[in-house]
Amino acid sequence: QVQLVESGGGFVQAGGSLRLSCAASGVTKYGNTMAWYRQAPGKSRELVATIDNRGVKKYADSVKGRFTISRDNAKDALYLQMNSLKPEDTAVYYCKAELYSGLVLQQVYWGQGTQVTVSS
């Protein structure tokens, strides 16, 4: 059974940092891509960063150079280090797991989200 639980959100002033964690039990036995998404009030959910099981990372242009995605397969964990935070980074951040069998997507799982609020 796959379960994703985010933590590490909170309130921070502009220019500050936060580190989000996602406890991703049950995913490491699959080929998978892990990702962080976010959703601000009144906006659609958007991709922040992805990392596949080879460690290849991709970022949204809005967070390049400020955010770093990483994973620890031994701990079934996904992380998002967020530096130089801006008020426009305020959103609920979600962890996502895409589980593959070979090249075929089998399942998609989402966490419940964690709130990040950046004050100006």
Side-chain angles (χ1 to χ4, degrees):
Q1 180 69 22
V2 173
Q3 187 174 18
L4 306 178
V5 179
E6 302 96 334
S7 61
F11 185 92
V12 64
Q13 290 187 332
S17 298
L18 283 174
R19 188 188 192 218
L20 304 184
S21 298
C22 175
S25 60
V27 302
T28 55
K29 61 181 179 180
Y30 300 98
N32 63 75
T33 293
M34 303 292 294
W36 288 98
Y37 281 71
R38 66 186 182 187
Q39 188 166 16
K43 296 187 177 181
S44 58
R45 194 170 295 189
E46 64 175 2
L47 177 65
V48 175
T50 66
I51 182 169
D52 68 17
N53 57 354
R54 300 167 299 164
V56 176
K57 305 175 184 181
K58 296 181 181 179
Y59 297 93
D61 288 343
S62 59
V63 305
K64 280 181 181 176
R66 300 188 298 121
F67 290 11
T68 302
I69 190 171
S70 62
R71 62 191 293 169
D72 185 336
N73 289 336
K75 296 182 178 180
D76 283 349
L78 178 72
Y79 306 102
L80 186 69
Q81 178 66 44
M82 305 186 294
N83 298 328
S84 301
L85 283 161
K86 304 176 181 179
E88 51 264 44
D89 294 318
T90 296
V92 177
Y93 284 71
Y94 297 90
C95 175
K96 178 186 180 185
E98 298 177 351
L99 307 187
Y100 291 84
S101 175
L103 297 179
V104 179
L105 180 62
Q106 298 290 322
Q107 294 282 354
V108 176
Y109 294 90
W110 291 92
Q112 83 289 349
T114 186
Q115 176 71 46
V116 172
T117 303
V118 185
S119 66
S120 57

